[in-house]
């Protein structure tokens, strides 16, 4: 087996067990929170959050961990406000040796104080020199408004237990969390996430409105003991996200995202 094939296999393992919009933990919006996300980034996380969005959105994100092109990820999605809310998204990670691609259709609706979301994903992985393999999977999510200031959410990926090929179970992630609007300008978030067969992960975040249309955030995730910092800047119909994730061993990761709303 040549070196190129070995690298491809290693990257494949990383993709199957560690790559995806949910797993990248991109710190867009208030942070890397899956279950309690209620911004336009919910199209890549708990899609139940799309029910809280009030205008159509086009969303684009870019993530290049540790300057490694094989871990580079790009995402684009569109959310259409309707009853129920609808979303379509495309996600790709990898480089020349390996590429992982996802096409997803999401929907969300709200019943009184409960939002329900469902996502169907088509997953395709290709490794240089090998035959590509693909499959489909299903994600589900719930969000609850407990009080005017407190809400909770739960989210699970790959509830169907889909496999890539015949041997590799695609990631199953379960996450539950709460978001608390302590005061008008301060949002607190806490979440517990679990990758089946691996480990529990705890996430804590703070989002603060410094000025009109400008938000700052910080937080911590126990996965890799990483801290993150970021900001959101809103102008007219555009919103710019930037985040910096700091690992004590691997250094800094920069992430950027932008969205456009209409009408």
């Amino acid at each position: 087996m040549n070196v190129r094939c070995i690298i491809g296999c290693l990257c494949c393992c990383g993709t199957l067990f560690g790559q995806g919009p949910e797993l990248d933990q991109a710190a867009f919006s208030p942070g890397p929170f899956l279950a309690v996300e209620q911004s336009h980034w919910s199209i890549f996380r708990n899609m139940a959050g799309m029910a809280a969005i009030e205008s159509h959105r086009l969303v684009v994100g870019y993530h290049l961990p540790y300057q490694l092109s094989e871990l580079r990820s790009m995402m684009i999605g569109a959310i259409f406000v309707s009853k129920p809310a609808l979303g379509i998204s495309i996600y790709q990670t990898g480089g020349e040796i390996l590429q992982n691609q996802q096409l997803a259709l999401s929907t969300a609706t709200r019943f009184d104080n409960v939002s329900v979301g469902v996502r169907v994903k088509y997953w395709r992985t290709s490794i240089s020199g090998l035959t590509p393999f693909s499959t489909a999977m299903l994600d589900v999510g719930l969000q609850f408004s407990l009080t005017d200031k407190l809400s909770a959410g739960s989210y699970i990926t790959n509830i169907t237990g889909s496999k890539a090929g015949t041997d590799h179970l695609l990631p199953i992630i379960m996450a539950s969390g709460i978001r608390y609007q302590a005061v008008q300008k301060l949002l607190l978030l806490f979440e517990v996430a679990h990758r089946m067969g691996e480990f529990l992960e705890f996430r804590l975040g703070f989002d603060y409105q410094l000025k009109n249309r400008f938000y700052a955030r910080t937080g911590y995730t126990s996965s890799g003991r990483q801290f993150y910092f970021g900001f959101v800047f809103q102008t007219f119909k555009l919103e710019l996200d930037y985040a910096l994730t700091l690992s004590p061993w691997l250094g800094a990761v920069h992430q950027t995202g932008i969205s456009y709303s209409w009408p």
Side-chain angles (χ1 to χ4, degrees):
M1 182 179 292
N2 59 36
V3 175
R4 186 181 180 86
C5 188
I6 293 173
I7 294 174
C9 290
L10 291 174
C11 290
C12 181
C13 291
T15 295
L16 293 178
F17 296 102
Q19 290 297 299
E22 308 90 356
L23 298 169
D24 277 340
Q25 298 175 19
F28 297 127
S29 191
F33 296 92
L34 301 179
V36 294
E37 182 63 80
Q38 293 182 355
S39 76
H40 43 275
W41 295 106
S42 59
I43 192 173
F44 299 108
R45 300 171 183 170
N46 186 350
M47 51 281 151
M50 294 194 311
I53 297 173
E54 299 179 348
S55 61
H56 306 315
R57 289 273 186 166
L58 177 65
V59 185
V60 179
Y62 182 76
H63 187 200
L64 181 61
Y66 318 116
Q67 303 300 310
L68 297 175
S69 61
E70 291 298 324
L71 297 180
R72 175 180 53 202
S73 60
M74 294 172 284
M75 55 196 79
I76 182 170
I79 301 173
F80 303 97
V81 176
S82 59
K83 293 185 178 181
L86 300 174
I88 181 170
S89 58
I90 300 172
Y91 172 83
Q92 176 175 302
T93 186
E96 294 182 1
I97 297 176
L98 176 143
Q99 281 194 355
N100 170 42
Q101 299 166 323
Q102 295 180 34
L103 172 65
L105 298 175
S106 305
T107 184
T109 190
R110 187 174 182 86
F111 304 97
D112 294 327
N113 295 325
V114 180
S115 297
V116 181
V118 177
R119 177 186 298 118
V120 178
K121 293 193 292 191
Y122 173 77
W123 173 301
R124 183 180 186 273
T125 296
S126 58
I127 304 173
S128 178
L130 301 178
T131 302
F133 48 86
S134 59
T135 189
M137 68 181 75
L138 181 69
D139 303 343
V140 297
L142 295 171
Q143 290 186 350
F144 311 87
S145 295
L146 303 176
T147 69
D148 291 341
K149 294 185 175 183
L150 180 66
S151 61
S154 291
Y155 172 64
I156 181 169
T157 69
N158 193 19
I159 195 172
T160 51
S162 299
K163 296 182 178 180
T166 57
D167 301 323
H168 300 287
L169 178 67
L170 293 175
I172 299 176
I173 305 172
M174 296 182 292
S176 293
I178 58 173
R179 55 186 292 139
Y180 178 62
Q181 194 74 48
V183 294
Q184 183 179 0
K185 294 185 176 183
L186 178 62
L187 175 66
L188 308 178
L189 304 105
F190 177 76
E191 185 170 277
V192 178
H194 175 56
R195 273 183 242 189
M196 293 294 289
E198 296 188 31
F199 53 84
L200 280 173
E201 179 181 343
F202 301 92
R203 303 168 185 167
L204 177 66
F206 305 88
D207 190 74
Y208 186 76
Q209 182 179 356
L210 294 173
K211 294 183 178 181
N212 187 30
R213 299 180 179 273
F214 186 80
Y215 298 80
R217 59 180 177 271
T218 186
Y220 172 80
T221 172
S222 63
S223 175
R225 299 179 182 178
Q226 296 182 89
F227 291 89
Y228 67 86
F229 309 88
F231 67 82
V232 178
F233 177 68
Q234 301 169 337
T235 176
F236 301 106
K237 296 180 178 293
L238 291 175
E239 182 173 305
L240 173 67
D241 275 81
Y242 168 78
L244 174 68
T245 306
L246 300 176
S247 167
W249 300 286
L250 299 174
V253 176
H254 301 274
Q255 303 164 63
T256 57
I258 191 169
S259 71
Y260 174 77
S261 64
W262 78 95

